[in-house]
Amino acid sequence: MRQDIRNRLYALIGAGVVGLAATASWSQSLTWLGTLGGSGSFAYGVSADGRVIVGVSGNASGYLRAFRWTRAMGMQDLGTLGGTDSWAYGVSADGRVIVGGAYNASSYGRAFRWEGGVMQDLGTLGGAYSAAYGVSADGGVVVGMAHNASGYGRAFRWEGGVMQDLGTLGGAYSTASGVSADGRVVVGEAEDANGYRRAFRWESGVMQDLGTLGGAYSTASGVSADGRVIVGGAQNASGYGRAFRWTQTTGIRDLGTLGGDISEAFGVSADGSVVVGAEEDASYEWRAFRWTPAGRMENLNLTYARLLTDGSVLLAARAISPDGRYIVGYGLNAPTGRIEAFLLDTVPEPASLMALSAGLAGLLGLRRLVR
């Protein structure tokens, strides 16, 4: 009888191990995206499902080109507006609309909106130059910076073919870096009346100064889906730039560093709970970080060390998917010796896998009892 129990138990454990192996296909991964034939690449945006990455890469001719990357197609050159170079900075939730900047035939940089293989020049506010840095979830609203007729850069919001000047905080300059999912809230930096550049939140025609961490400057880079959480970098009283997270309730909050003096946040999850960026560690080397709801900043190179080959380093995390699963940025890919764009899939352990692990632990405990 005792032997029969043992045999049945071993069979059950064996089945559990097979199930565990099958479930383990849900694994974390790091993908280096390569280049367009040039010496490096940088990722700045990711679609909601992590399947489309956008950024800029050098090509074989030595020019910079906006790219769209998918696992199936690899890195695709999006072209230009008739000039030599282009850059992609943002992508819609479904990956169909991409925004950035590109040179036209007259060698002026212009904001673009790319969809279905067509790159559209969004124009300017009366000047010669513009660039787009953010796009709403549905791709209908684009934000960035454009020169006005006086030659000053101004934050803009573009929708339905109309480019709107968002103004400043009393100075001459502003630029928009991010936009909420519905396109209603815009964030960036703007000069105040004293000429200091300050992080702002714009909604319904009103531009709000988000303040600093005791210093003179700040800039906002990312915003949550509902526009209530904003992240970026701000100068502290000692003159160092620090990553911050802002809400109307808490105000501007210093997210700290990992031992160095400087950090900056670039992206935030849809619910505002997870922040990514770059910071100096104790050796004053730049490292990609993630800040979690527990209020802890973690070095992604340590958290995902098993995914990195010897000598490879994640230098900066530039964007995060709405659910916080996918992180993109750039780092040193040791095998190629290049600075390359990366896609980090941080998929958590599935509930089914955790339940199975707990079940196996229980089974192994029973095994010991029937020995």
Side-chain angles (χ1 to χ4, degrees):
M1 179 66 177
R2 191 177 183 89
Q3 183 60 44
D4 181 57
I5 293 175
R6 283 200 186 99
N7 291 340
R8 292 182 183 181
L9 181 59
Y10 294 164
L12 185 57
I13 291 173
V17 170
V18 171
L20 179 60
T23 312
S25 61
W26 289 68
S27 59
Q28 298 164 341
S29 64
L30 174 66
T31 304
W32 295 100
L33 306 190
T35 73
L36 290 168
S39 58
S41 61
F42 305 82
Y44 293 110
V46 57
S47 63
D49 61 7
R51 295 184 178 183
V52 179
I53 316 301
V54 302
V56 59
S57 172
N59 65 14
S61 299
Y63 296 114
L64 295 175
R65 291 298 179 86
F67 73 75
R68 179 181 189 269
W69 180 96
T70 65
R71 199 172 296 278
M73 301 296 293
M75 189 175 284
Q76 173 190 2
D77 185 337
L78 300 188
T80 70
L81 289 168
T84 56
D85 299 274
S86 58
W87 308 260
Y89 295 113
V91 60
S92 60
D94 64 5
R96 297 180 61 182
V97 176
I98 299 169
V99 301
Y103 283 128
N104 62 18
S106 300
S107 297
Y108 292 118
R110 293 294 181 86
F112 75 75
R113 182 182 184 275
W114 181 98
E115 183 177 13
V118 178
M119 183 178 285
Q120 176 187 3
D121 184 338
L122 301 187
T124 71
L125 290 167
Y129 178 85
S130 62
Y133 299 117
V135 62
S136 60
D138 67 359
V141 176
V142 182
V143 301
M145 187 275 290
H147 284 180
N148 61 17
S150 299
Y152 294 114
R154 291 295 181 88
F156 75 77
R157 182 183 182 275
W158 179 97
E159 183 177 18
V162 178
M163 183 177 284
Q164 175 186 4
D165 184 338
L166 302 188
T168 72
L169 290 167
Y173 169 86
S174 61
T175 184
S177 303
V179 60
S180 60
D182 64 5
R184 296 179 61 183
V185 176
V186 183
V187 302
E189 67 176 33
E191 281 186 353
D192 64 14
N194 296 315
Y196 295 120
R197 295 188 180 186
R198 308 291 282 266
F200 73 77
R201 180 185 186 273
W202 180 97
E203 183 177 13
S204 301
V206 178
M207 183 177 284
Q208 176 185 1
D209 184 340
L210 302 187
T212 71
L213 291 167
Y217 303 94
S218 59
T219 183
S221 301
V223 58
S224 62
D226 62 5
R228 295 182 179 182
V229 179
I230 298 170
V231 301
Q235 191 179 50
N236 63 17
S238 299
Y240 295 115
R242 292 294 182 87
F244 74 78
R245 181 179 183 273
W246 177 96
T247 69
Q248 197 73 53
T249 302
T250 66
I252 194 166
R253 177 184 176 187
D254 187 340
L255 300 187
T257 71
L258 290 170
D261 294 323
I262 304 172
S263 60
E264 185 168 359
F266 297 115
V268 62
S269 59
D271 65 1
S273 67
V274 183
V275 183
V276 297
E279 55 75 44
E280 281 187 343
D281 63 14
S283 300
Y284 300 101
E285 300 287 345
W286 283 102
R287 296 291 183 263
F289 79 77
R290 176 176 58 190
W291 183 90
T292 64
R296 184 171 65 92
M297 180 180 286
E298 57 182 339
N299 184 337
L300 294 180
N301 293 275
L302 299 180
T303 303
Y304 300 100
R306 65 182 182 80
L307 303 179
L308 291 163
T309 56
D310 288 345
S312 293
V313 181
L314 305 180
L315 297 173
R318 296 295 310 222
I320 186 170
S321 60
D323 62 2
R325 171 174 173 173
Y326 300 99
I327 298 173
V328 300
Y330 51 86
L332 173 63
N333 183 7
T336 64
R338 299 182 301 214
I339 300 297
E340 288 184 23
F342 69 78
L343 165 63
L344 176 63
D345 183 353
T346 69
V347 58
E349 190 175 45
S352 58
L353 179 55
M354 290 188 287
L356 181 56
S357 298
L360 284 177
L363 288 172
L364 291 172
L366 284 175
R367 177 178 176 176
R368 287 191 292 271
L369 290 176
V370 299
R371 282 179 178 173

